[in-house]
Amino acid sequence: MMKLTGYSLPASSTPIYLNILKKHSIFSSNIFQRNPTKSRGPSTYTQKDQVLADAVMVAGQYLPPWFSVAPMMDWTDNHYRTLARLISKHAWLYTEMLAAETIVYQKDNLDRFLAYSPEQHPIVLQIGGNNLENLAKATELANPYHYDEINFNCGCPSPKVAGHGCFGARLMLDPKFVGEAMSVIAANTDVPVSVKCRIGVDDHDSYNELCDFIYKVSSLSPTRHFIIHSRKAMLNGISPAENRSIPPLKYEYFYGLLRDFPDLRFTINGGINCVDEVNAARRAGAHGVMVGRAAYHNPWQVLGHVDSVIYGAPSSGITRRQILEKYQVYGDSVLGKYGIKPHVRDVVKPLLHLFYSEPGNGLWKRKADAAFQNCKWLPTEACEISLPIQETAWMR
C-alpha cells in the first residue's frame, strides 16, 4: 500500500473501483441514452491529447477544454465572461450556477438569465437542483441558447445551496440520484453533460467513497466528464470562503481517478493559479484544468497567456487599452437593458482587476471609481461609460 496524506491508496495497477463492485449489485441499464458520445477531434492534436479531443462534441470549431474558468456565483456573469473572451479566445467559460427552478419559473424572462453573445463560445451552462422534473424542464428551456455543454453542480458548499436548498455538494451523498439527474439532463439536450463535484463531504471523504460516487454516476448516466475540486466540502461550521482554504487539497485523489477510470475524462480544480501550474497538471495526466478566483482577480496575467502557452496559438497582441475600448462598446450596449439592471457598477466590476498587482493599479481603481461615482442606475448622457484609459506604460 502507498500512504498519501493520511490515506491508503493502492499502488497496484488494479482499479480500486473493482473492489467497490463486489459490494454492489449490477446497476440498472434502464437509462436515457439520447446523448451518445461523438468523435469530432481535429487530427492536428498530439496523440496524448487526441483522447480528450475525440470526446469533445462542439462541431469541430473549438479546441478542447484544456483550460476552463470555474463557475463562480456573482462573478462569472455576462460582464466578466465578455472581458474574459476579449483576453482569451480558447479558454472555456462557465456561467454562474443557475438553479433549475429559476430557469423554470422565469421561462418568460429567460434572456436575462441565459442570453449571451456568440463570441462567448465555447461556454458551459451550470445548473443546480434536486428535482428531476425541474432539471428536465430547465435543460429543455436552455436548448435554444445553444450552450456547448451542460454541467451539474455537486460541489457548492454554500448553506443556501447545500443546506436549505439540499443540492450542491450535499448531492454527493446520494450518487444514485445524481446518476438519475444526469440521465434526465442528457435526455433533454444534444450537447455533452458533465458533473462538478468535490472529493467528499464531511466525514464521507475516503477515496473509496469518491470512487463509488464516480462509478455510480457514470454507470447510471451518459456522464463521461467530471470536474473534481480536490478538496472535500464541510457543510457545517465553516463558510463557503473557508471551504476553499481549510479542507486540504488532496491531488492524489484526482490522479487516482485518472488511473482507476481510464474511460472517463477528469478536469482538476482547486489551488491552481497560473498557466505554468496548468501545464504541469496536464503533463501529469489531467485531461483539463479549471481555474477559479485567480482568473477573476488577475485576468490579464492568467487568461492573457492561455491561448499561446496552453493552446499553442499565436498571440493576438491585444493590449489592455484595446480591451478597454472594446469593453466600453459592450458596456454602452447593455446598460439598463433589463429596466434598471444592469447598472454601471455591475458592468465595471470585472474591470477593477485588469491591472492586478501592477504599478498604477491603485490609480486605475481610484480613477475608475471616480468616473462612475455619479452613475448609479440608468444610462444617461451624464452616465456614459467613459473609461480613464489615457496612454501609460501600465495600460499595455
Side-chain angles (χ1 to χ4, degrees):
M1 300 292 284
M2 177 172 55
K3 295 286 186 179
L4 290 170
T5 321
Y7 290 86
S8 297
L9 300 180
S12 71
S13 59
T14 302
I16 195 170
Y17 66 82
L18 293 182
N19 296 324
I20 298 173
L21 296 183
K22 298 177 183 178
K23 303 177 184 178
H24 300 283
S25 60
I26 300 300
F27 296 108
S28 171
S29 60
N30 183 26
I31 61 175
F32 301 108
Q33 292 289 349
R34 231 185 79 182
N35 188 12
T37 301
K38 298 182 181 180
S39 296
R40 298 191 182 184
S43 59
T44 55
Y45 300 148
T46 66
Q47 184 175 5
K48 176 182 176 182
D49 295 327
Q50 193 65 46
V51 174
L52 177 58
D54 284 345
V56 177
M57 188 180 68
V58 288
Q61 58 181 317
Y62 309 125
L63 295 177
W66 297 332
F67 179 97
S68 56
V69 177
M72 293 175 281
M73 292 296 293
D74 298 322
W75 286 11
T76 51
D77 56 16
N78 239 323
H79 314 312
Y80 170 78
R81 298 195 309 266
T82 297
L83 175 66
R85 185 57 75 218
L86 288 172
I87 300 174
S88 170
K89 300 302 180 187
H90 300 302
W92 281 61
L93 304 178
Y94 278 63
T95 68
E96 306 170 88
M97 185 196 71
L98 274 175
E101 284 71 21
T102 298
I103 298 174
V104 172
Y105 299 152
Q106 294 286 340
K107 63 181 180 180
D108 296 324
N109 191 28
L110 286 179
D111 280 1
R112 180 176 176 180
F113 299 92
L114 295 175
Y116 60 93
S117 67
E119 289 78 18
Q120 288 185 31
H121 287 289
I123 181 171
V124 179
L125 170 65
Q126 187 185 70
I127 60 176
N130 61 2
N131 180 286
L132 294 178
E133 182 178 358
N134 282 338
L135 287 170
K137 290 179 180 178
T139 303
E140 188 172 5
L141 288 169
N143 283 334
Y145 292 88
H146 302 292
Y147 284 91
D148 299 300
E149 183 173 309
I150 307 295
N151 178 263
F152 188 49
N153 185 315
C154 294
C156 181
S158 167
K160 294 181 180 179
V161 174
H164 299 300
C166 293
F167 60 100
R170 187 174 294 277
L171 291 180
M172 289 195 70
L173 302 176
D174 190 356
K176 181 176 181 294
F177 172 82
V178 176
E180 294 171 350
M182 294 307 296
S183 291
V184 166
I185 293 170
N188 286 277
T189 184
D190 291 322
V191 301
V193 296
S194 60
V195 168
K196 188 175 189 295
C197 63
R198 295 273 180 141
I199 60 170
V201 178
D202 292 331
D203 294 331
H204 300 275
D205 58 358
S206 71
Y207 182 69
N208 273 4
E209 287 171 297
L210 175 61
C211 286
D212 185 52
F213 175 82
I214 299 296
Y215 177 76
K216 286 182 178 178
V217 174
S218 61
S219 297
L220 289 168
S221 74
T223 309
R224 295 297 175 265
H225 182 200
F226 291 83
I227 298 98
I228 308 294
H229 186 145
S230 300
R231 290 184 175 93
K232 73 174 182 178
M234 299 176 67
L235 302 185
N236 297 304
I238 67 174
S239 68
E242 291 172 323
N243 257 294
R244 297 190 294 270
S245 58
I246 291 179
L249 288 162
K250 294 183 181 294
Y251 291 134
E252 63 269 21
Y253 280 27
F254 174 83
Y255 290 106
L257 294 176
L258 290 177
R259 177 197 64 222
D260 293 334
F261 295 89
D263 295 331
L264 302 179
R265 293 184 294 125
F266 294 98
T267 292
I268 191 170
N269 174 227
I272 298 174
N273 298 313
C274 65
V275 292
D276 289 340
E277 294 174 353
V278 170
N279 276 337
R282 292 197 62 239
R283 286 193 297 269
H287 299 125
V289 181
M290 176 175 280
V291 176
R293 279 153 181 78
Y296 187 90
H297 288 308
N298 194 2
W300 180 251
Q301 292 299 328
V302 176
L303 297 176
H305 298 289
V306 166
D307 293 356
S308 58
V309 176
I310 295 175
Y311 287 97
S315 174
S316 66
I318 194 170
T319 67
R320 277 174 284 194
R321 178 185 178 86
Q322 291 170 325
I323 287 172
L324 289 170
E325 290 170 343
K326 291 176 180 292
Y327 193 87
Q328 179 172 337
V329 175
Y330 160 76
D332 286 338
S333 71
V334 299
L335 281 176
K337 188 173 183 179
Y338 303 105
I340 63 173
K341 294 279 189 171
H343 51 73
V344 173
R345 290 191 180 276
D346 294 329
V347 178
V348 172
K349 181 181 174 183
L351 297 178
L352 298 180
H353 302 286
L354 193 57
F355 302 97
Y356 177 82
S357 77
E358 295 197 21
N361 182 49
L363 174 63
W364 158 252
K365 287 188 174 182
R366 288 194 299 272
K367 283 184 172 289
D369 186 68
F372 305 121
Q373 62 183 346
N374 296 319
C375 307
K376 297 181 179 179
W377 302 109
L378 295 175
T380 66
E381 291 183 3
C383 193
E384 293 177 350
I385 295 187
S386 299
L387 298 169
I389 54 175
Q390 65 269 24
E391 187 68 56
T392 58
W394 53 273
M395 296 296 289
R396 301 188 182 100

